[in-house]
Amino acid sequence: MPLPHIPYRPLAVAQEQGRQNLLDDLALMRSRRSIRKFSDRPVPKQMIETAIRIAATAPSGANRQPWTFVAISDPATKRRIREEAEAAEKEFYEERAPKEWLEALEPLGTDFHKEYLEVVPWIIVVFRRDADIVKGERVKNYYVPESVGIAVGFFIQALHHAGLCTLTHTPAPMTFLREICGRPLNEKPFLLMPVGYAADDCTVPDITKLPIETVLHFL
Ligand code: IYR
């Protein structure tokens, strides 16, 4: 049965203000980087919860909201995640990764060591729910990677605006995360995200983004 419809009042922004807001947002997002060197400075649980509330406002296929966030601050759990992630990454770098992939990573200087997983105050594990179990029945969700990707985008932006940093990390395979987080079989790990403040001596590779002409075509 269709839901009742209610009036929608979009945010009232005069066009000039809108222009300025976009420029401000552009500067804000240009100053964001993924980092691999975190501080152990604590981050209040409330900040994590609010950032995840922001993520959970994302649009999703049939409004199924096919994401689950697990926020971990327990040191023993973080240690287990580090151990498992490093084991998976070691195998990736030393055995599984095709030469071409290793060459693509070389400029970034990454390797299997993931100390930051024990240093950061929080690790957020994002799960995708390709199906839900409703009254014992499997009910399929739609556009799941698109939906979860959008939610994670909101999350990353919110963290950055709050002065926090993250990294979108996908150790492969990631199935160990389901067991560590105690999630059911219909939830599949999507991303592992350390969240915290950057270390004072944090450095990032000097990358550039593609020119706008490459990524945008007006017709
Ligand atoms: N998951 C590995 C390898 C890696 C892959 C990509 I694609 C990156 O952009 C960076 C790293 C790791 O985290 O080291």
Side-chain angles (χ1 to χ4, degrees), residues 132-139:
D132 283 320
I133 312 298
V134 182
K135 293 182 201 144
E137 295 283 317
R138 202 181 146 84
V139 181

Side-chain angles (χ1 to χ4, degrees), residues 38-54:
F38 287 85
S39 152
D40 61 2
R41 180 178 165 195
V43 173
K45 186 177 176 182
Q46 191 61 56
M47 289 180 79
I48 298 298
E49 181 175 324
T50 306
I52 293 172
R53 283 177 186 270
I54 292 169

